[in-house]
């Protein structure tokens, strides 16, 4: 039995609701959530169950943005605080940090009022030599008019990562302005005489697009480009892959083979590797070859966002900090029109549009954190909470499909920003191993030239995160954070003691008597690293025995194998099992727990005052 | 026999050494009786110093007159030597082959090794059975030490001293020994102080097809039960396998004769199945060509993690019987020297905080593996690269270490030792300068006079300078039972051992260092603050004294 806090699920987290066959105890409702939580409700009366089912189905599929939680969520901040929250992450500041505008790149106002492309932001950086004429011409030759713009500029060598959608090349069409646009991107990088064009799709998919008048760049038409397919599958493949992997996670006491076979069969880690490979390729092209790269897929808002942000993360240590990571998501995902509403199903829509695109990016970051444990300022919890809020709709950041829609909805005036919330609680999200002057935090992250498959691992901290029993019972991160916190206090105390000592010595010299207060000796007796909500009890270790015949020994059959179940374990010796709380396996007696460690900060934190809004689902 | 006879070419110049993640090194290759040494010519420092006994297999190939020897080590490392000259290469290869497969134990390096360190504590006497017995004799008087096996006559694979129920005399033990496989009568493995329950281990009962019974055996194990209590017999074989052994004279305890005991069958694999599993796993880890899916399917096909899960599950079940059910248990498989020991020792890791300390873990290995007669010599003769089908090799001990690592990963603050300690034990079990893991049991070790002629691994490990490398900076004594998760999601591959030579560990090592720094700095400050506090307190009392008169 796991002790969990009263389950509280946001409607927006509900992915599927399943009514299961009625049993003696009642009607079970199985609710699967987008943050990988699974909850079963047993409702005694079938009619009530049906009512709940119908209401939940309706509530989980809002049709208007105004129904979403963020429009009623109120963290008791005043207007000014809310506005401050929204300016915490400022993209124009970010472009300045990159060193823009400069001799080669300028801010273009061509998309003012979203005139050229309605899924792009208004503020866009383009090569100086790209005139409005070229841009507009190029935009007409690109899917959804998503013409090539700057995503990341690498100060050190002027190389850049640009992004767009696929060209409408069909089998033979060409567009002079689009060719000029790529030429301009190349010229903006005097260090290199070519540009990589990376099509992140599998070649077959790209070719199929040609029949629909879309496709990919013909190397003969564009001078000085090197064209490259990467082979990341489309959103439908990814959706099915996640589905299959989650089925594996859901298996009741699977064998090792069931698990590994299912994991392989889902293809999930292969897809993660494909995204990583693309990011690594681009980071290498930029940092080692000094070449600029234009990245696109079909529409340039899914795979392109994944790949550009992975590459930027590898290249620039700033994105590996707490704030930098927020900036990265703000830039490559939110501002460039990643369709959050469609992909994560915030409003009722086409289920075929739903796909775990940003989930995959978040996992890529985790995979990197596993390999470079000192390189990131934030910890795993940070990633998990961001993932949670992409689906929660508690904050306005991830609403809608584009900047244009968000402005029309006046999101910033009506909702709160997640970034401010995370920033306020940043102590919970810090990686204790991060040190700004550590070699791992400098420059580009170098992965092995032939990335090995075994580098990519199953992330149980994400996909099985609600099964606390499966996670390590002691958190090294929390332990180290508590040590660091104590270290800081010790530093302060040391300073104070030195001061006082000096004073007393001086005073003694003056033969004056001073009454000093006895300092409270600070107790140093261990850090709680346990999540106290987990009672560490033995699992059903005999579960595998169900295949053996179960016969009672009283029947006198001497070959009968015994089945030792949890039930008879519990009943046989009440005295011992009564003590189970003391047996939590991890000491919970220690005097100081890491900040928030008593209960690991919940992703729902901040919505304590709104119980009327959140549904209480009590299992 | 002289080693010189085996060394056809003692020295070759201009040999190039290739290792993963290191640049190639050119130098002089030297063969000695026990080592293969490569010194680079520049500064005469050794680039490679490899025990012949660590060599599992070698391959040679030629391109023109340049020969290449690929050396596959028992610790899974693969290195390549380019040797100019066909004859030299052939000579070196055949010498290595001969030297790495010496038949006589007394020719092994531990008999020649002269330690360069001062022995502070002789490891041969660090964990005496009498001392171990004292640890729980204060809590119970139901057990006694028996010297019935003094001459190794009753059970050749048992140590001279064993712990048995007080009420059972040596005569009965002799009778029971004839009823148990290899003479391995039930002995005490672990006493759970909290509730007085015990783990016993033995060989299988020799019931045979006609259901033989032994009153003394029944009396012995019943003697461990409190009035009205039931116990559990955990047979590490499936019911099927256990039944099959009856045809060969083996068997299992029949309920009619052991009415106070419930039998549980688990299925832990043995011998060649484990060995093949290891071979497949290491092959998968070394194969860099496959795509993601093939890696997972090869990992799955090796079944290694399945074995890990099975062993851990059985150990958890045993611990559960003891701690939660409040029932004593008897564990055995067939011989009682392999899966039995995996289960008894892992159950102690779960139940007993002491076995999670460095000394406690050493004592555990001494008790539950060395003295309990795990045949190290046979099991560790070959490792993952052996191509000859041998009968006795099996990575039983490595599986145990892997299981310990799995628990350590789930409870990173509850162990006094770190991963390096486990890796070190793995290495020394397969190739070592110390005598600790030589021989198959105490009887053989006695005959080899290891205590007089070789150095104990513990003498070296327990020096403060070595211990610091193996100490877990996160350790905080945890006096509770720790229940690991055995879900597949919780049992990853032990990268530190299986991918050790296939990936760079630079960033992970840096992270470990950072962790140590954080904790060291904290301790340093703590010490400083304590000193100042004391000073301040002294000054203040002086003040007070001046004031009072």
């Amino acid at each position: 039995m796991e002790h969990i806090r009263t389950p509280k699920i946001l409607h927006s987290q509900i992915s599927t609701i399943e009514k299961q066959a009625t049993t003696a105890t009642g009607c079970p409702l199985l609710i699967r959530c987008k943050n990988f939580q699974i909850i079963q409700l047993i409702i005694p009366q079938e009619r009530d169950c049906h009512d709940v089912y119908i209401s939940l189905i309706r509530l989980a599929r809002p049709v208007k943005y105004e129904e979403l939680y963020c429009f009623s969520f109120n963290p008791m901040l005043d207007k000014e605080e809310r506005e401050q929250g929204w300016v915490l992450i400022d993209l124009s500041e970010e472009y300045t940090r990159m060193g823009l505008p400069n001799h080669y790149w300028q801010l273009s106002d061509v998309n003012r009022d979203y005139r050229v492309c309605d899924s792009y932001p208004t503020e866009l950086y383009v090569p100086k030599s790209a005139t409005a004429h070229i841009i507009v011409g190029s935009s007409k030759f690109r899917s959804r008019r998503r013409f090539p713009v700057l995503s990341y500029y690498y100060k050190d060598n002027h190389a850049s990562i640009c992004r767009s959608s696929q060209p409408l090349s069909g089998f033979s069409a060409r567009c002079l302005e689009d060719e000029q646009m790529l030429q301009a991107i190349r010229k903006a990088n005097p260090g290199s005489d070519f540009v990589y064009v990376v099509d992140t799709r599998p070649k077959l998919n790209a070719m199929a697009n040609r029949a629909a008048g879309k496709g990919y760049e013909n190397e003969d038409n564009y001078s000085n480009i090197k064209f490259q397919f990467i082979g990341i599958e489309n959103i439908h493949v990814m959706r099915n892959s996640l589905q299959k992997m989650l089925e594996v996670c859901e298996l009741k006491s699977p064998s090792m083979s069931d698990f590994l076979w299912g994991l392989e069969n889902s293809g999930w880690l292969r897809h993660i590797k494909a995204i990583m490979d693309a990011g690594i390729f681009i980071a290498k092209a930029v940092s080692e070859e000094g070449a600029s790269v234009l990245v696109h897929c079909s529409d340039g808002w899914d795979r392109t966002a994944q790949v550009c942000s992975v590459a930027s993360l590898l290249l620039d240590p700033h994105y590996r900090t707490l704030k930098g990571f927020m900036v990265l998501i703000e830039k490559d995902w939110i501002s460039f029109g990643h369709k959050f509403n469609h992909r994560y199903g915030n409003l009722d829509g086409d289920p075929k549009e739903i796909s775990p695109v940003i989930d995959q990016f978040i996992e890529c970051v985790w995979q990197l954190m596993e390999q470079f444990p000192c390189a990131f300022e934030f910890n795993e919890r940070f990633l998990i909470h961001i993932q949670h809020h992409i689906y929660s709709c508690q904050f306005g950041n991830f609403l809608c499909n584009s900047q244009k829609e968000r402005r029309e909805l006046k999101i910033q005036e009506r909702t709160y920003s997640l970034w401010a919330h995370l920033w306020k609680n940043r102590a919970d999200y810090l990686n204790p191993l991060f040190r700004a002057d550590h070699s791992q935090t400098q420059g580009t992250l170098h992965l092995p030239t032939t990335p090995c498959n075994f580098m990519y691992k199953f992330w149980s901290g994400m996909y099985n995160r609600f099964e606390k029993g499966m996670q390590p019972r002691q958190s090294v991160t929390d332990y180290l954070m508590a040590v660091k916190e104590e270290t800081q206090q010790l530093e302060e105390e040391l300073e104070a003691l030195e001061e006082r000592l000096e004073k007393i010595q001086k005073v003694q010299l003056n033969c004056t008597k001073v009454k000093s207060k006895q300092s409270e000796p600070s107790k140093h007796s261990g850090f709680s690293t346990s999540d106290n909500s987990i009672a560490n009890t033995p699992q059903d270790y005999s579960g595998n025995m169900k295949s053996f015949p179960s016969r009672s020994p009283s029947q006198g059959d001497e070959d009968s194998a015994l089945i030792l179940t949890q039930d008879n374990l519990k009943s046989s010796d009440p005295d011992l099992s009564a003590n189970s709380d003391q047996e939590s396996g991890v000491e919970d007696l220690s005097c100081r727990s890491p900040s928030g460690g008593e209960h690991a900060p919940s992703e729902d934190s901040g919505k304590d005052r709104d119980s009327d809004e959140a549904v209480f689902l009590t299992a | 026999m002289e080693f010189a006879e085996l060394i056809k070419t003692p020295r070759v110049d201009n040999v190039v050494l290739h290792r993963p993640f290191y640049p190639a090194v050119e130098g002089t290759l030297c063969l000695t009786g026990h080592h293969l040494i490569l010194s680079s010519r520049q500064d005469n420092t050794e680039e490679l110093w490899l025990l012949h006994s660590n060599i599992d297999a070698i391959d040679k190939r030629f391109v023109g007159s340049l020969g290449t020897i690929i050396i596959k080590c028992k610790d899974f490392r693969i290195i390549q030597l380019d040797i100019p000259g066909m004859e030299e290469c052939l000579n070196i290869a055949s010498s290595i082959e001969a030297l790495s497969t010496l038949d006589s134990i007394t020719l092994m390096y531990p008999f020649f090794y002269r330690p360069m360190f001062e022995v502070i504590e002789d490891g041969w006497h660090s964990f005496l059975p009498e001392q171990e017995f004292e640890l729980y004799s204060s809590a119970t008087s139901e057990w006694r030490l028996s010297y019935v096996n003094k001459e190794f006559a009753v059970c050749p694979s048992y140590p001279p001293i064993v712990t048995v129920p007080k009420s059972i005399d040596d005569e009965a033990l002799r009778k029971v020994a004839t009823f148990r496989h290899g003479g391995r009568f039930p002995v005490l493995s672990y006493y759970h102080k909290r509730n007085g329950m015990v783990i016993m281990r033995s060989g299988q009962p020799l019931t045979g097809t006609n259901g033989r019974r032994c009153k003394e055996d029944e009396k012995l194990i019943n003697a461990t039960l409190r009035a009205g209590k039931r116990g559990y017999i955990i047979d590490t074989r499936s019911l099927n396998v256990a039944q099959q052994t009856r045809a060969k004279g083996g068997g299992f305890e029949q309920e009619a004769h052991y009415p106070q005991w419930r039998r549980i069958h688990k299925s832990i694999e043995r011998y060649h199945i484990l060995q093949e599993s290891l071979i497949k796993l290491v092959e998968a880890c070394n194969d860099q060509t496959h795509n993601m899916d093939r890696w997972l399917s090869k990992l799955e096909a090796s079944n290694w993690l399945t074995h890990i899960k099975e062993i851990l599950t059985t150990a958890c079940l045993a611990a559960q019987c003891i701690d939660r059910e409040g029932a004593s248990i008897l564990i055995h498989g067939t011989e009682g020297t392999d899966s039995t020991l995996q289960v008894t020792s892992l159950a102690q890791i779960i139940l007993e905080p002491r076995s999670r300390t460095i000394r406690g873990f050493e004592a555990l290995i001494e008790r539950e593996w060395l003295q309990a007669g795990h045949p190290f010599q046979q099991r560790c003769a070959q490792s993952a690269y052996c191509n000859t089908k041998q009968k006795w090799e099996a990575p039983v001990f490595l599986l145990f270490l892997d299981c310990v690592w799995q628990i350590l990963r789930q409870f990173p603050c509850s162990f006094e030792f770190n991963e390096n300690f486990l890796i070190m034990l793995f290495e020394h079990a397969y190739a070592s300068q110390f005598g600790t893991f030589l021989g198959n049991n105490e009887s053989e070790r006695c005959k080899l006079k290891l205590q007089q002629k070789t150095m104990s691994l513990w003498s070296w490990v327990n020096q403060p300078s070595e211990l610091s490398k193996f100490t877990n900076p996160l350790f905080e004594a945890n006096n509770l039972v720790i229940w690991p998760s055995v879900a597949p999601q919780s049992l990853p591959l032990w990268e530190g051992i299986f991918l050790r030579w296939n990936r760079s560990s630079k960033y992970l090592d840096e992270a470990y260092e950072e962790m140590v720094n954080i904790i060291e700095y904290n301790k340093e400050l703590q010490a400083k603050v304590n000193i100042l506090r004391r000073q301040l307190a002294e000054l203040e009392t002086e003040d007070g004294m001046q004031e009072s008169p």
Side-chain angles (χ1 to χ4, degrees), chain A residues 264 453 491 516 541 572 585, chain B residues 290 293 297 325 478 484 521 540:
Chain A
E264 160 183 309
N453 310 294
E491 275 171 343
S516 64
Y541 297 118
S572 64
Chain B
H290 42 62
D293 279 9
S297 84
E325 178 83 335
N478 171 3
Y521 179 56
E540 278 161 356

Side-chain angles (χ1 to χ4, degrees), chain B residues 250-273:
Chain B
F252 48 85
E253 294 81 357
Q254 321 240 313
E255 305 225 340
H257 302 154
Y258 299 85
Q260 286 166 280
W261 296 80
R262 304 271 191 94
R263 213 174 57 250
I264 305 172
H265 286 272
K266 299 298 281 183
S267 161
I268 298 179
E269 291 294 350
R270 300 151 16 100
Y271 298 144
H272 66 278
I273 292 178

Side-chain angles (χ1 to χ4, degrees), chain A residues 227-474:
Chain A
F227 187 83
Q228 182 88 30
F229 284 114
I230 293 273
I232 302 172
E233 299 289 351
N234 64 29
I235 56 166
H236 311 295
V237 175
M238 300 306 191
R239 179 178 56 245
N240 292 334
S241 174
L242 178 67
Q243 182 56 40
K244 279 189 190 162
M245 185 175 71
L246 293 179
E247 279 164 20
V248 175
C249 297
E250 251 186 77
L251 289 175
K252 289 268 177 286
S253 54
S255 73
M256 191 53 87
S257 293
D258 292 339
F259 174 71
L260 289 174
W261 189 86
L263 185 59
E264 160 183 309
N265 195 43
S266 76
W268 181 258
L269 289 173
R270 194 186 60 215
H271 300 312
I272 295 294
K273 181 175 183 291
I275 296 162
M276 287 297 300
D277 284 349
I280 294 166
F281 174 86
I282 292 163
K284 278 200 156 77
V286 167
S287 69
E288 289 170 24
E289 292 184 68
S292 292
V293 185
L294 171 66
V295 186
H296 69 72
C297 44
S298 295
D299 291 317
W301 51 40
D302 294 317
R303 285 166 279 200
T304 301
Q306 290 175 330
V307 167
C308 286
S309 45
V310 168
S312 304
L313 198 73
L314 290 170
L315 285 167
D316 195 330
H318 178 65
Y319 297 129
R320 293 174 232 137
T321 63
L322 266 171
K323 223 172 190 175
F325 190 71
M326 299 175 187
V327 167
L328 185 63
I329 290 183
E330 190 72 34
K331 173 171 73 76
D332 275 326
W333 295 83
I334 297 174
S335 89
F336 278 117
H338 175 65
K339 300 199 295 174
F340 282 94
N341 175 34
H342 286 166
R343 293 295 173 259
Y344 313 113
N346 297 342
L347 293 188
D348 195 22
D350 181 358
K352 290 224 156 19
E353 281 280 319
I354 292 174
S355 187
V357 182
I358 199 165
D359 301 65
Q360 287 183 315
F361 165 65
I362 289 172
E363 176 166 341
C364 286
V365 181
W366 177 79
Q367 300 279 359
L368 281 170
M369 279 163 60
E370 284 288 290
Q371 291 177 54
F372 299 92
C374 305
F376 293 83
E377 192 189 13
F378 47 86
N379 58 26
E380 181 183 13
R381 192 181 294 140
F382 185 60
L383 297 180
I384 289 175
H385 287 194
I386 290 178
Q387 193 272 353
H388 172 91
H389 283 297
I390 283 164
Y391 292 93
S392 76
C393 300
Q394 185 179 337
F395 297 93
N397 306 59
F398 305 115
L399 247 47
C400 307
N401 291 320
S402 66
Q403 194 183 70
K404 181 167 179 258
E405 286 182 34
R406 275 188 295 275
R407 292 216 173 144
E408 283 164 1
L409 260 181
K410 301 197 188 321
I411 290 291
Q412 299 206 357
E413 285 128 76
R414 300 165 70 190
T415 74
Y416 293 86
S417 168
L418 170 67
W419 304 136
H421 171 70
L422 294 177
W423 185 248
K424 199 177 80 200
N425 298 305
R426 60 188 173 279
D428 293 335
Y429 302 120
L430 290 176
N431 170 13
L433 296 173
F434 178 84
R435 188 154 48 77
D437 54 351
H438 194 280
S439 64
Q440 272 183 49
T441 62
Q442 317 297 315
T444 308
L445 291 184
H446 292 286
L447 285 140
T449 28
T450 47
C452 316
N453 310 294
F454 44 65
M455 285 185 353
Y456 300 106
K457 295 177 287 192
F458 173 72
W459 187 8
S460 76
M462 176 63 97
Y463 304 106
N464 282 115
R465 80 175 120 130
F466 287 95
E467 276 154 275
K468 298 283 186 215
M470 283 187 192
Q471 313 306 328
R473 305 306 172 83
Q474 294 171 319

Side-chain angles (χ1 to χ4, degrees), chain B residues 387-402:
Chain B
N387 24 34
T388 51
K389 262 230 163 123
Q390 307 263 355
K391 210 178 157 190
W392 303 113
E393 281 84 19
V396 177
F397 187 61
L398 176 59
L399 278 161
F400 159 69
L401 294 176
D402 194 333

Side-chain angles (χ1 to χ4, degrees), chain B residues 280-542:
Chain B
K280 278 190 197 158
L281 174 66
V282 172
E283 201 176 84
C285 293
N286 287 337
D287 180 358
Q288 313 267 328
T289 57
H290 42 62
N291 61 34
M292 195 68 220
D293 279 9
R294 285 197 46 219
W295 155 246
L296 284 173
S297 84
K298 284 184 162 185
L299 181 63
E300 192 265 317
S302 79
N303 271 327
W304 183 266
L305 292 171
T306 302
H307 301 316
I308 295 290
K309 181 167 155 56
E310 201 54 52
I311 295 165
L312 262 179
T313 306
T314 310
C316 290
L317 182 68
Q320 204 174 5
C321 290
I322 295 281
D323 190 65
R324 292 301 163 111
E325 178 83 335
S328 288
I329 49 173
L330 169 68
I331 302 177
H332 68 74
T334 302
E335 291 88 351
T337 55
D338 294 279
S339 54
T340 303
L341 305 183
Q342 289 173 328
V343 175
T344 58
S345 49
L346 286 167
Q348 294 180 48
I349 298 272
I350 294 165
L351 293 169
E352 157 89 306
R354 177 177 170 246
S355 62
R356 296 173 224 140
T357 64
I358 290 180
R359 274 197 92 86
F361 191 68
E362 290 171 357
L364 182 77
I365 287 178
E366 190 70 38
R367 258 185 358 249
E368 292 300 303
W369 291 87
L370 292 162
Q371 291 177 15
H374 175 66
F376 277 99
Q377 194 76 38
Q378 288 179 346
R379 297 290 180 265
C380 302
Q382 296 260 263
S383 174
Y385 301 117
C386 76
N387 24 34
T388 51
K389 262 230 163 123
Q390 307 263 355
K391 210 178 157 190
W392 303 113
E393 281 84 19
V396 177
F397 187 61
L398 176 59
L399 278 161
F400 159 69
L401 294 176
D402 194 333
C403 290
V404 176
W405 177 81
Q406 301 284 354
I407 307 176
L408 167 63
R409 198 190 77 90
Q410 295 186 28
F411 294 88
C413 306
S414 297
F415 288 78
E416 194 192 2
F417 51 86
N418 60 19
E419 179 180 7
N420 293 334
F421 190 61
L422 300 173
I423 295 174
M424 179 276 294
L425 288 170
F426 157 69
E427 289 178 336
H428 283 280
Y430 279 83
S432 176
Q433 65 269 43
F434 303 105
T436 297
F437 291 110
L438 291 182
N440 289 309
N441 49 52
E442 286 297 285
S443 160
E444 286 186 26
R445 279 179 212 114
C446 237
K447 283 183 200 121
L448 288 165
K449 296 196 166 52
L450 292 181
Q451 296 204 9
Q452 292 83 46
K453 294 185 170 173
T454 72
M455 174 66 58
S456 161
L457 172 66
W458 312 130
S459 303
W460 170 72
V461 170
N462 288 334
Q463 304 174 91
S465 59
E466 295 302 319
L467 275 182
S468 66
K469 292 178 211 159
F470 302 126
T471 306
N472 177 10
L474 301 170
F475 177 61
E476 299 246 312
N478 171 3
N479 283 318
L480 301 169
V481 177
I482 54 176
W483 298 107
S485 160
V486 294
Q489 289 95 321
S490 312
L491 303 174
L493 178 71
W494 186 7
E495 298 183 17
I497 219 148
F498 294 108
L499 302 178
R500 188 177 170 198
W501 312 103
N502 300 326
R503 50 137 208 216
S504 157
S505 61
K506 181 173 172 256
Y507 303 114
L508 301 179
D509 295 345
E510 282 175 359
Y512 185 82
E513 227 171 88
E514 190 65 27
M515 191 170 85
V516 172
N517 290 342
I518 290 171
I519 292 165
E520 288 300 310
Y521 179 56
N522 176 279
K523 285 186 183 152
E524 218 175 276
L525 279 181
Q526 187 71 54
K528 272 190 200 163
V529 165
N530 284 342
I531 291 172
L532 285 189
R533 272 190 205 145
R534 219 172 303 132
Q535 277 182 11
L536 207 60
E538 275 165 23
L539 284 174
E540 278 161 356
T541 37
E542 270 171 40

